[in-house]
Amino acid sequence: MLDTNKLTLSDYVFNQFKSLMFKESGVMLSNDKQVMVKARLAKRLRQLNLDSFEQYLHLVQSPDNRLEIQQLIDALTTNETSFFREAQHFEFLRARLASFSVTVPIRIWSAACSTGEEAYSLAMTVADSRCHPDWQILASDINSQVLACAGLGMYDIARAAAIPRRYLVKYCLKGVRSQAGQLLLSEQLKQHIRFVLLNLDGELPEIGQFHFIFLRNVLIYFNEVKRKQIIDKITGRLVPGGYLFIGHSESLRGITELLKPVQATIYQKC
Ligand SMILES: C[S@@+](CC[C@H](N)C(=O)[O-])C[C@H]1O[C@@H](n2cnc3c(N)ncnc32)[C@H](O)[C@@H]1O
């Protein structure tokens, strides 16, 4: 078997992977990510039985190899997430929903949903608020593998610790037999969520307008120019008065005047 520890990822080849990631996703990989890139791509080399990163680069650079480009994106995006991450956002949403009065369905977008915990946290919050009979969540990501996990709605039971008990009882099931040790999200929630492969750095497809957009912990992967482009596109998808939520280590300072801050990391469209 290939001993990937013995493989070398040269600066040149690393820079080629960096450029490809930037071109295909807008994600900027800093130079200190070389070890991470090597470890993650080594797995793919093993799967494909390739002997060097040069061979793999050649493969992803060959024309019309979209499938392998997707594999590269899947390998090099960082997908850390959890249920009810940054809990104050869900408290804010819950409070806003209590006084929300619209005749159209409530629409929420989890715009870099990773393995889906964010979308299901939103779904539990909206379902429990009973604010409106009709609501929809769009959950999107550029990584096809995490999106497949999100669609399944099945998680290691240890991740349930972050879910409030009331929601666990109402919206989650404990796996049995072959699914022992797993937490399953209810079909009742799933029917409100649509999962879509979507690149925030590309032209947005026809997805309509939203009352709330969660764009959390993804802006950090882009440079300032891309961040502004993405925020402009996202703002265009918010209804007037709609809310945008970003991650705790992110800021929109100097990026847009169309969104006014209402609370740390929460903005409202003017
Ligand atoms: C750290 S996770 C954040 C997950 C979740 N929003 C949260 O805050 O817990 C970042 C996600 O952004 C996705 N991502 C990175 N670049 C993207 C792009 N160009 N378009 C869409 N999603 C992207 C990654 O695949 C990853 O799942």
Side-chain angles (χ1 to χ4, degrees), residues 25 27 77-81 85 112 114 118 141-143 198-201 216-218 221-222:
S25 68
V27 168
T77 44
T78 296
N79 314 112
E80 190 195 324
T81 188
R85 184 180 192 181
S114 184
E118 182 176 272
D141 202 282
I142 196 174
N143 181 318
L198 186 153
N199 179 4
L200 292 168
D201 186 42
R216 307 188 311 160
N217 305 301
V218 63
Y221 299 107
F222 302 109

Side-chain angles (χ1 to χ4, degrees), residues 44 56 60 64-72 74:
R44 189 69 189 138
Y56 185 59
V60 280
D64 299 329
N65 202 352
R66 291 305 311 167
L67 284 178
E68 201 51 48
I69 293 278
Q70 184 64 54
Q71 292 284 344
L72 181 82
D74 289 359

Side-chain angles (χ1 to χ4, degrees), residues 1-265:
M1 202 171 91
L2 174 69
D3 182 354
T4 41
N5 289 326
K6 296 207 173 115
L7 292 174
T8 308
L9 175 61
S10 67
D11 290 351
Y12 171 77
V13 174
F14 170 66
N15 283 324
Q16 294 292 308
F17 286 130
K18 250 178 81 167
S19 306
L20 256 171
M21 264 308 269
F22 184 69
K23 177 170 156 260
E24 296 292 338
S25 68
V27 168
M28 287 283 289
L29 292 168
S30 53
N31 287 338
D32 62 2
K33 293 287 188 288
Q34 195 152 343
V35 174
M36 179 205 89
V37 168
K38 184 179 170 193
R40 292 191 184 175
L41 294 187
K43 271 195 204 158
R44 189 69 189 138
L45 256 66
R46 269 196 299 269
Q47 286 164 354
L48 295 169
N49 229 351
L50 297 178
D51 296 328
S52 70
F53 290 107
E54 283 77 3
Q55 280 182 5
Y56 185 59
L57 179 63
H58 188 68
L59 180 72
V60 280
Q61 284 178 331
S62 50
D64 299 329
N65 202 352
R66 291 305 311 167
L67 284 178
E68 201 51 48
I69 293 278
Q70 184 64 54
Q71 292 284 344
L72 181 82
I73 292 171
D74 289 359
L76 297 185
T77 44
T78 296
N79 314 112
E80 190 195 324
T81 188
S82 55
F83 285 107
F84 293 93
R85 184 180 192 181
E86 300 176 41
Q88 77 282 4
H89 286 163
F90 298 92
E91 283 154 23
F92 181 93
L93 173 66
R94 201 181 161 81
R96 288 301 301 124
L97 288 173
S99 58
F100 215 62
S101 123
V102 281
T103 48
V104 292
I106 294 181
R107 300 197 75 230
I108 306 181
W109 182 14
S110 168
C113 70
S114 184
T115 37
E117 288 87 333
E118 182 176 272
Y120 289 115
S121 303
L122 290 167
M124 288 187 255
T125 306
V126 185
D128 189 63
S129 77
R130 295 165 168 267
C131 58
H132 202 288
D134 198 357
W135 52 274
Q136 304 161 355
I137 293 176
L138 176 73
S140 66
D141 202 282
I142 196 174
N143 181 318
S144 65
Q145 289 175 20
V146 293
L147 210 56
C149 294
L152 268 182
M154 184 162 79
Y155 301 90
D156 190 299
I157 202 92
R159 297 185 79 78
I163 304 178
R165 196 169 156 66
R166 187 174 76 253
Y167 294 164
L168 272 177
V169 173
K170 279 172 97 168
Y171 305 115
C172 306
L173 297 166
K174 222 172 166 177
V176 291
R177 290 185 284 278
S178 64
Q179 293 172 334
Q182 303 290 307
L183 173 85
L184 313 174
L185 273 298
S186 77
E187 289 304 319
Q188 178 200 348
L189 289 186
K190 281 185 180 173
Q191 64 189 7
H192 290 272
I193 311 176
R194 188 160 70 95
F195 296 96
V196 172
L197 189 68
L198 186 153
N199 179 4
L200 292 168
D201 186 42
E203 197 178 318
L204 295 182
E206 270 313 313
I207 50 174
Q209 300 286 110
F210 297 87
H211 299 99
F212 302 93
I213 299 180
F214 278 56
L215 180 73
R216 307 188 311 160
N217 305 301
V218 63
L219 288 174
I220 37 168
Y221 299 107
F222 302 109
N223 67 20
E224 221 168 308
V225 175
K226 294 274 181 200
R227 249 180 256 161
K228 179 163 175 40
Q229 288 169 351
I230 291 170
I231 288 299
D232 286 347
K233 273 186 279 190
I234 292 272
T235 307
R237 297 306 167 128
L238 267 179
V239 300
Y243 293 93
L244 174 69
F245 301 72
I246 60 171
H248 63 287
S249 56
E250 297 164 327
S251 156
L252 297 189
R253 203 169 310 125
I255 290 190
T256 180
E257 289 180 354
L258 296 175
L259 298 167
K260 65 170 194 301
V262 288
Q263 199 172 299
T265 63

